[in-house]
Amino acid sequence: MSAKAERPAKGHGEALSEAGSDEALRPRLEPEDTGPGLLHAVLARGNMQQAWKRVRANKGAAGVDGLSIDETAELLCSEWPSIREQLLHGAYRPQPVRRVMIPKPDGGERELGIPTVTDRLIQQALLQVLQPLLDPTFSQHSYGFRPGRSAHQAVLAAQTYVQQGRRIVVDVDLEKFFDRVNHDILIDRLRKRIADAGVIWLVRAYLTSGVLVNGIAMARDEGTPQGGPLSPLLANVMLDEVDKELEQRGHCFVRYADDANVYVRSRRAGARVMQLLRRLYARLRLQVNETKSTIASVFQRKFLGYSFRVAPGIKIKRRVATKSIATFKQRVRELTRRSGGYSLDEVVKRLRVYVLGWKAYFRLADTPGVWSDLDKWIRHRVRAIQLKMWKRGKTSYRELLKRGASSEVAAQVARNTRRWWRNSGMLLHKVLDIRWADGLGIPRLC
């Protein structure tokens, strides 16, 4: 930090340009440390600059050191050469991750491990070098956290299998997968693909860095906590073994992270696949959640928020799963509470971000009627907020007249003693109509 007082502060990219260059650090290294290797590629100036841009763009909270992105950038201006040397000599020790528990849509909590910004930077640099090497070796049936692949592609692949007549799905849920990855097994699978000892050491250092719980650093001998850039790639390394076994046996399946569905033509075939998967996961010391895992009709299950239905002509159509719609409506209710204390503009702004994101994800659904009903419901909720802000009596009467309501309609709404929700759904929808909603910026789903 004292460097800031002695010289003008530099941007982080500039610091990495100087401190991250081989020329700047080579005098500090032993001869055997200057040879080529993946770790040198990870710490190369261009790769580190690219990693920093990604970390800054992703933003994110501070880790256990409490340093923000800007504060970390200032620190690394002076500390990066020392950190880089420690990395090259195998002396660097990542800090524990900060544990954060977030609620899951279906109940329960998911554990996130938030690394420090410095460790996020190093993990991102590792990811940028390892992913181009590892990704081409993964199964074509794997879609999660891979460049050029998406959840939409996974849903479309699943639809293809169902359209081909595979109407039974083997849906296996893993019990807290990211928290129970065995470190030794994962490192063994990684070592078979990556020969660089420095990289293997660094990955293991991140796996065993521990977690800070109530101010106490706790060691971990299993798990690759979600929250760091490297975790999704390591998950794919771990589960690719199962993918390859299913491929070799000719099964039709789709995997997105730890969410995998195998599509078969009969329940008997499904039972055989379920037994196979239990054996494969047991070999990796992963635990199957027997309560959530099942063999069922594809029309009774959801996959990545979508479900399927049979349309006339025996054509398989995509739709938003019932549970996904319930989750959507619950979130919209939270964003449009009439006692939230936000102005109407603030409510619409927050609502717009969520609805547009949800619309983009579920754009594959063939459900125009559902979209239309949800659009009307959202506008109804916003009208109720507007009506409460105007209150009953002269204010609402005057505002409705301004918007083209007849005096009779304005008077009826203004003196109506029903609750805000019922009042906003009767005559008010003819005045505060879809054009009014468009003017506010409320996005349409259809």
Side-chain angles (χ1 to χ4, degrees):
M1 293 293 187
S2 60
K4 184 178 179 182
E6 297 173 0
R7 61 182 179 182
K10 299 178 181 178
H12 185 75
E14 185 181 350
L16 291 180
S17 296
E18 294 185 6
S21 66
D22 289 334
E23 290 76 11
L25 191 55
R26 186 168 292 136
R28 302 180 177 89
L29 300 179
E30 299 297 330
E32 61 268 25
D33 294 318
T34 60
L38 281 183
L39 194 54
H40 281 78
V42 169
L43 300 175
R45 179 178 58 189
N47 189 57
M48 294 303 302
Q49 288 176 327
Q50 181 182 350
W52 177 254
K53 290 178 181 178
R54 180 62 60 87
V55 169
R56 182 177 282 282
N58 290 341
K59 300 179 181 179
V64 296
D65 60 1
L67 297 180
S68 67
I69 291 178
D70 289 337
E71 290 170 333
T72 301
E74 183 178 353
L75 176 68
L76 291 178
C77 285
S78 58
E79 297 298 323
W80 176 248
S82 174
I83 293 173
R84 185 176 188 273
E85 187 170 0
Q86 292 175 37
L87 287 163
L88 288 170
H89 283 86
Y92 181 76
R93 294 294 178 266
Q95 295 193 58
V97 297
R98 180 169 63 87
R99 187 172 72 170
V100 176
M101 306 301 293
I102 61 172
K104 300 169 74 172
D106 56 350
E109 291 183 318
R110 174 182 289 112
E111 179 181 339
L112 292 184
I114 309 300
T116 64
V117 177
T118 298
D119 285 323
R120 289 209 298 273
L121 170 66
I122 298 169
Q123 285 195 39
Q124 179 63 37
L126 259 174
L127 177 67
Q128 291 168 182
V129 170
L130 293 182
Q131 193 155 50
L133 298 174
L134 297 174
D135 192 80
T137 69
F138 294 150
S139 167
Q140 63 176 339
H141 298 275
S142 168
Y143 293 87
F145 312 115
R146 298 184 61 188
R149 288 177 166 252
S150 67
H152 286 167
Q153 292 174 332
V155 171
L156 292 174
Q159 181 186 12
T160 299
Y161 295 141
V162 178
Q163 186 67 64
Q164 291 171 350
R166 295 174 174 84
R167 305 296 174 85
I168 301 297
V169 62
V170 182
D171 188 351
V172 178
D173 183 85
L174 294 177
E175 186 79 32
K176 297 183 178 180
F177 166 72
F178 284 93
D179 298 331
R180 294 184 175 174
V181 170
N182 183 278
H183 291 172
D184 291 334
I185 294 176
L186 173 56
I187 290 297
D188 175 70
R189 300 321 189 253
L190 184 63
R191 189 178 284 116
K192 291 177 180 177
R193 300 167 186 258
I194 299 295
D196 191 284
V199 166
I200 296 297
W201 160 80
L202 186 54
V203 171
R204 184 180 279 278
Y206 276 112
L207 290 174
T208 59
S209 61
V211 59
L212 193 69
V213 181
N214 298 325
I216 300 174
M218 302 179 63
R220 300 191 66 157
D221 57 4
E222 65 177 7
T224 170
Q226 299 179 76
L230 203 56
S231 184
L233 178 66
L234 297 179
N236 279 330
V237 169
M238 188 75 166
L239 293 174
D240 189 62
E241 181 172 316
V242 178
D243 296 344
K244 294 297 173 56
E245 184 71 26
L246 291 173
E247 274 186 358
Q248 185 177 353
R249 293 170 180 262
H251 289 296
C252 296
F253 69 98
V254 180
R255 181 174 68 81
Y256 191 93
D258 60 329
D259 196 351
N261 281 357
V262 184
Y263 298 89
V264 295
R265 297 182 185 274
S266 69
R267 290 183 179 272
R268 180 176 295 180
R272 291 195 297 267
V273 170
M274 181 68 82
Q275 290 179 350
L276 170 65
L277 287 172
R278 286 194 179 102
R279 291 198 304 270
L280 294 175
Y281 288 131
R283 192 163 67 192
L284 297 175
R285 299 186 189 177
L286 296 173
Q287 185 175 344
V288 173
N289 186 329
E290 299 294 345
T291 303
K292 295 183 179 180
S293 301
T294 189
I295 304 166
S297 165
V298 294
F299 306 116
Q300 298 172 348
R301 304 293 291 177
K302 65 181 180 70
F303 180 57
L304 300 179
Y306 284 85
S307 61
F308 300 109
R309 64 184 177 89
V310 180
I314 319 182
K315 185 176 181 180
I316 303 301
K317 293 283 189 178
R318 302 173 298 271
R319 65 180 180 182
V320 184
T322 301
K323 193 171 185 178
S324 299
I325 293 178
T327 302
F328 171 78
K329 296 185 77 170
Q330 179 58 35
R331 180 56 180 155
V332 171
R333 289 189 186 98
E334 294 170 358
L335 294 172
T336 56
R337 288 197 302 265
R338 291 185 287 280
S339 58
Y342 295 100
S343 68
L344 190 59
D345 286 342
E346 290 172 325
V347 169
V348 170
K349 183 178 179 180
R350 297 165 71 224
L351 181 65
R352 182 177 179 83
V353 172
Y354 177 70
V355 172
L356 286 177
W358 197 84
K359 178 181 179 180
Y361 182 77
F362 285 105
R363 67 178 184 269
L364 296 182
D366 304 309
T367 52
V370 173
W371 298 150
S372 178
D373 290 342
L374 288 176
D375 274 341
K376 293 175 183 177
W377 177 76
I378 292 171
R379 290 194 292 270
H380 191 164
R381 291 197 63 84
V382 178
R383 285 198 303 269
I385 296 174
Q386 180 67 91
L387 189 60
K388 183 178 181 182
M389 289 180 173
W390 286 341
K391 300 182 179 179
R392 298 183 180 94
K394 294 182 179 180
T395 301
S396 59
Y397 179 79
R398 182 176 63 251
E399 294 296 337
L400 289 172
L401 287 180
K402 286 182 182 178
R403 286 159 179 79
S406 67
S407 58
E408 293 180 358
V409 169
Q412 185 173 348
V413 172
R415 64 171 178 263
N416 197 309
T417 58
R418 295 179 178 178
R419 294 181 178 179
W420 304 114
W421 175 256
R422 293 191 64 185
N423 200 4
S424 62
M426 297 180 64
L427 298 176
L428 199 58
H429 76 277
K430 296 181 180 179
V431 180
L432 304 183
D433 56 10
I434 193 168
R435 290 174 296 178
W436 167 81
D438 289 344
L440 287 176
I442 301 173
R444 301 189 196 184
L445 291 173
C446 63

